[in-house]
Amino acid sequence: MGLQSLTLHINGEKRVVNVRFADTLLYALRGNLGLTGAKPGCLNGDCGACTVNVDGWPMKSCLMLAVEAVGKEVTTVEGVKGEPIQHAFVENFAFQCGYCTPGFIMNCRSLIQHHPDADDAKVKEWLESNICRCTGYAEIQQAVKSVINKE
Amino acid sequence: MLPFDFDYYRPKNLQEAVELYRHLRQSGRQPMYISGATELITLGRIDLVFTDAVIDIKDIPECREIGFDGDYLVLGSALTLTAIEEANLFPLLTKTSSEIADHTARGKITLGGNICGQIFYREAVLPFLLADSQAVIIGPEGVKVHYIDELFQKTLQLGNGEFLVQLATDKRHVDVPFISIKRRQQWETGYPLITAAALKIGGEIRVAISGLCPFPFRSNQMEAAINRDGLSVENRVSAALTVLPEPILNDIEGSADYRLFVLQNLLNDILAELDGINS
């Protein structure tokens, strides 16, 4: 037990973190690596504010132990630079306070990659994983659909 | 972050996992098998789960199997619910599974984790109860295969050091008429109230329920009532409601009376869907 040295692949780089096996990926990202884009919310897998991509799929980083991420490709919002979904969020004013935004962007990004022709039901199914306390859902839905329609 | 420490092991095969468990127990430890780890994290966070040695089975090939093998559909216990939905080899399971938690969480929650979890919903077991599936388990005494309706008595009855490896379902039972309905307290994303899953095999409707009692179940008595010849739908549903297991949940999500009202409507919906279909 105690601290363990783990090598994680994050945003295209190898990063060494010293964590407990009991630490979540969210804790390692924020506390060990200063990657504060993934937000702590419920810490219970409900709100989606901490969503990152693991091997291209959305993952609530509060529901994953850091040690489980060894050998996986982790992308946080800091690793997403100027992608269409980010511009779409700005153009559609898809945020108010912004706290949920990184999680939504990471979820939407993965949705677009896996289902570039997603229909309304698919978009709704995926977006149900994240909560926006400001209730900006209509604009968030517009943002993701604007990217899907363009592609 | 969890308020206790543990060692973490990721065995590469079944024997290594079982041997690790045995060794850790002999050393006075409290080992726990995990695959998705969601319940370890969410319940461990509030001190409802404890272990000092995690054995993560997600890399064991048998626990990741997915596909048809001879006359059976084989699904490994460490498959995520998303992986099962994307493959869509068992349509009733896809439908029932797709209502568990949310899409992102289902990318972490595993089939075995849901069935063996502490939460009382455990909806993923319903399709297997209905399809007379077999559970492959391993433990200190080796591999055992049981019909799941024998092994699942309110919870999956696993002995010390045993874990669920796979579920095998007769392929004739995976593609039959079905319906799966989840009713929530509020809207489409609220906490679950009751899930009812049904299959029609050999002209008989089979029903399994989650969220009515503190455990998922399939009841022969209920099925006898809803399949009775010569009675109206109303009388068949009424008869089914008199032979329910106990206790009926009565909590903040729904009173016992309300749950029974919801169940009555669910059974009506199931009969409306499946009564006229030949199977």
Side-chain angles (χ1 to χ4, degrees):
Chain A
M1 293 189 222
L3 291 180
Q4 314 294 325
S5 184
L6 305 178
T7 301
L8 303 179
H9 290 80
I10 300 185
N11 298 333
E13 297 177 1
K14 279 188 184 175
R15 304 291 298 267
V16 176
V17 293
N18 293 311
V19 294
R20 298 156 60 233
F21 280 137
D23 286 336
T24 60
L25 177 61
L26 173 66
Y27 184 85
L29 292 172
R30 294 180 58 86
N32 293 75
L33 297 172
L35 294 168
T36 57
K39 300 294 185 235
C42 64
L43 301 180
N44 198 52
D46 294 323
C47 76
C50 66
T51 303
V52 298
N53 290 168
V54 174
D55 288 344
W57 288 89
M59 178 62 65
K60 296 181 180 187
S61 59
C62 75
L63 278 188
M64 187 175 208
L65 300 172
V67 66
E68 291 184 276
V70 171
K72 309 277 187 191
E73 193 61 52
V74 178
T75 307
T76 70
V77 76
E78 289 91 344
V80 182
K81 301 184 192 307
E83 293 189 9
I85 188 64
Q86 291 172 301
H87 294 297
F89 264 62
V90 174
E91 287 157 10
N92 289 275
F93 198 47
F95 45 81
Q96 290 183 46
C97 83
Y99 197 80
C100 71
T101 307
F104 264 108
I105 285 182
M106 298 313 291
N107 190 19
C108 292
R109 174 179 190 263
S110 183
L111 166 63
I112 293 160
Q113 286 173 355
H114 287 282
H115 298 283
D117 54 354
D119 59 16
D120 286 359
K122 183 69 73 181
V123 170
K124 188 174 174 187
E125 181 194 11
W126 280 59
L127 289 188
E128 279 174 359
S129 306
N130 294 62
I131 293 172
C132 168
R133 185 63 184 82
C134 311
T135 68
Y137 298 110
E139 292 81 0
I140 293 167
Q141 198 173 19
Q142 281 167 22
V144 68
K145 283 185 181 175
S146 74
V147 178
I148 288 167
N149 291 337
K150 268 183 206 161
E151 292 195 355
Chain B
M1 183 166 53
L2 290 165
F4 52 86
D5 276 318
F6 48 74
D7 283 328
Y8 177 88
Y9 304 91
R10 205 186 270 209
K12 295 283 183 235
N13 59 58
L14 295 169
Q15 286 67 32
E16 190 186 339
V18 170
E19 181 55 29
L20 254 174
Y21 191 99
R22 189 193 62 78
H23 173 72
L24 288 162
R25 283 283 291 190
Q26 279 185 348
S27 310
R29 308 286 293 278
Q30 295 182 52
M32 175 188 286
Y33 294 117
I34 67 150
S35 52
T38 55
E39 197 160 277
L40 168 66
I41 293 171
T42 55
L43 296 188
R45 194 173 67 83
I46 51 176
D47 277 335
L48 293 178
V49 162
F50 175 81
T51 176
D52 58 10
V54 165
I55 303 173
D56 187 341
I57 64 169
K58 70 166 70 74
D59 282 352
I60 298 175
E62 289 89 341
C63 297
R64 304 187 66 87
E65 247 186 66
I66 181 166
F68 289 96
D69 183 1
D71 291 334
Y72 290 91
L73 169 65
V74 177
L75 296 171
S77 60
L79 292 169
T80 65
L81 299 182
T82 301
I84 289 170
E85 288 163 44
E86 294 275 329
N88 192 24
L89 300 173
F90 186 178
L92 171 62
L93 178 61
T94 300
K95 178 69 172 70
T96 307
S97 166
S98 69
E99 299 279 353
I100 293 172
D102 60 59
H103 179 268
T104 302
R106 291 196 298 277
K108 193 69 169 30
I109 297 169
T110 60
L111 180 62
N114 183 267
I115 290 174
C116 300
Q118 288 193 26
I119 56 165
F120 54 69
Y121 301 111
R122 287 173 274 147
E123 296 102 315
V125 79
L126 301 179
F128 298 104
L129 289 173
L130 293 172
D132 295 331
S133 302
Q134 297 177 63
V136 180
I137 62 174
I138 192 164
E141 294 161 17
V143 174
K144 295 179 189 170
V145 180
H146 298 274
Y147 280 102
I148 194 157
D149 62 345
E150 294 166 6
L151 196 62
F152 193 89
Q153 301 296 328
K154 299 184 180 178
T155 60
L156 200 67
Q157 302 295 303
L158 295 172
N160 208 340
E162 291 181 336
F163 65 90
L164 177 65
V165 179
Q166 295 170 342
L167 289 150
T169 305
D170 189 321
K171 66 181 181 188
R172 291 172 304 174
H173 291 176
V174 302
D175 214 10
V176 294
F178 73 92
I179 182 169
S180 179
I181 310 169
K182 184 167 194 165
R183 292 280 181 259
R184 300 168 187 274
Q185 186 198 36
Q186 290 179 314
W187 312 305
E188 294 169 32
T189 54
Y191 262 75
L193 198 58
I194 299 181
T195 298
L199 280 181
K200 192 163 188 185
I201 296 176
E204 300 279 300
I205 297 172
R206 302 178 176 190
V207 180
I209 311 280
S210 150
L212 181 72
C213 302
F215 47 85
F217 68 90
R218 175 184 168 197
S219 159
N220 291 335
Q221 288 175 291
M222 268 185 78
E223 289 177 9
I226 63 170
N227 285 297
R228 200 171 296 164
D229 285 334
L231 287 182
S232 66
V233 167
E234 187 182 355
N235 286 339
R236 287 152 63 198
V237 170
S238 296
L241 294 176
T242 64
V243 291
L244 298 173
E246 291 184 333
I248 306 298
L249 284 167
N250 184 22
D251 59 23
I252 195 165
E253 306 299 339
S255 66
D257 283 347
Y258 184 61
R259 285 176 195 269
L260 289 171
F261 168 75
V262 172
L263 178 65
Q264 183 178 7
N265 287 306
L266 284 170
L267 293 176
N268 279 321
D269 292 344
I270 287 168
L271 294 184
E273 176 77 17
L274 295 181
D275 244 356
I277 294 178
N278 293 322
S279 63

